[in-house]
Amino acid sequence: MPGPAPTGSALTGPRDCLTDVSGLLVGHHHQLDSEATLGSGAATGCTVVRALGGAVAAVDVRGGGPGTRETDLLDPSHSVQQINAILLTGGSAYGLAAADGVMAWLEEHGHGIAMGSPDQVVPIVPAAVIFDLPVGDWSTRPTAEYGYAAAAAAAADFATGTVGAGVGARAGVLKGGVGTASTVIVGGPADGVTVGALIVTNPVGSVFDPRTGLPWGVGTKGPQAFGMRKPDVHELWNANSLAPKGTALNTTIGVVATDVDLTASSCKRIAVAGHDGLARAIRPAHSPLDGDTIFALSTGTRSVVTESSMPKAFTKDLPVLDAVTAVAADVVERAIVRALLDATSIAGIPTYRQIFPSAFES
């Protein structure tokens, strides 16, 4: 049986972010007090990925403690085939209330499933949460107002690090946050296709190798690709002496997206592949104390014509899907590293750059 067509090579996207995938915008809203500590002050937020014109979507949940909304309808066998936005939020299960605000903004602007007259729509907004309640005041959580503001703020250019849903995120013993990355496939059946990721990094697991101090996620590209080198051994000793995170619930969540036109079942495979990148960059991943959840989107703004060598029993889109899944793990892995490198410290939680300054010395 002939094998799949070559997947080609890949280049970093123009902005190296999720919105390199045409048809997507990202907005944040958060509340962060400068004097926030573990237990007082506001330190939480949410992030919205808006799909202009809708997107085909799927989800893959691997963690043992997820907090989600509207994920059942993403089963490829179910009736709803497109979403209008994805909400990623802090606040644990309380933060799911922010989806109401996203829906309100979308309804006001006529985005959703048409149910009658032009003003009668039902926006589809799946959501996932991280557990950030111990950072800042436990009772300060994203509300519908947060979701509305994040949806309204959605744009092609957006901040990373300690913003939006990443404000209260912790990555093991270090400060977590929001990271993003993108790739454009060059050559092969998916030539010109863009794949991007946006990840909110908040795991119980470690994000750096205790033997070298380098983030696990630099493994595929190497530290030079991130402008890094192996840090000083004394910094590594101090890092390995940091107290454990000490929270019962954690979770890394995010979105992987492509502009190529794919089915919901194909998007499911992309979400599955995205978790491979999560497992490369976080160890352990998918634990009983995490609710690791990845959504996958296809905006369908690019179509490709392939002459597949696959047997007739296989879909003609399979070579394209193979190419997309091959890079989906890479963009998730890079997005997690970027979340670490772009994070700023709050509530006394140290950042990677603070703990390993020599990793960036020339």
Side-chain angles (χ1 to χ4, degrees), residues 42-289:
T44 192
C46 66
T47 297
V48 171
V49 178
R50 271 178 43 208
L52 303 176
V56 177
V59 67
D60 191 37
V61 180
R62 296 290 177 97
T68 58
R69 168 170 165 162
E70 296 279 47
T71 51
D72 281 353
L73 62 77
L74 297 181
D75 186 306
S77 68
H78 291 175
S79 301
V80 174
Q81 292 296 301
Q82 288 205 327
I83 59 91
N84 301 103
I86 298 290
L87 169 70
L88 309 173
T89 183
S92 189
Y94 298 105
L96 290 171
D100 292 340
V102 183
M103 291 185 68
W105 189 93
L106 291 167
E107 182 184 24
E108 285 180 11
H109 291 80
H111 302 303
I113 300 174
M115 291 294 188
S117 64
D119 62 340
Q120 293 178 328
V121 296
V122 178
I124 304 300
V125 185
V129 305
I130 66 166
F131 183 78
D132 62 351
L133 295 174
V135 181
D137 177 15
W138 179 278
S139 63
T140 302
R141 309 132 181 175
T143 62
E145 288 73 20
Y146 282 62
Y148 187 99
D157 295 316
F158 59 95
T160 54
T162 305
V163 294
V167 163
R170 288 187 284 178
V173 297
L174 301 177
K175 183 70 184 74
V178 174
T180 189
S182 69
T183 287
V184 179
I185 299 171
V186 179
D191 182 49
V193 169
T194 300
V195 184
L198 183 147
I199 304 294
V200 183
T201 304
N202 183 60
V204 66
S206 173
V207 289
F208 67 89
D209 186 339
R211 300 164 298 182
T212 68
L214 289 169
W216 290 114
V218 306
T220 300
K221 300 293 183 182
Q224 297 83 4
F226 297 88
M228 301 175 65
R229 66 184 182 91
K230 188 182 295 186
D232 181 84
V233 65
H234 299 290
E235 295 171 1
L236 178 60
W237 187 88
N238 289 333
N240 287 329
S241 300
L242 290 172
K245 183 175 179 179
T247 59
L249 299 171
N250 304 274
T251 298
T252 296
I253 56 179
V255 173
V256 185
T258 182
D259 54 0
V260 71
D261 189 11
L262 294 173
T263 64
S265 58
S266 291
C267 286
K268 176 72 173 184
R269 298 313 310 171
I270 296 170
V272 169
H275 276 287
D276 292 343
L278 190 155
R280 292 177 194 168
I282 299 167
R283 305 184 189 185
H286 310 136
S287 79
L289 302 179

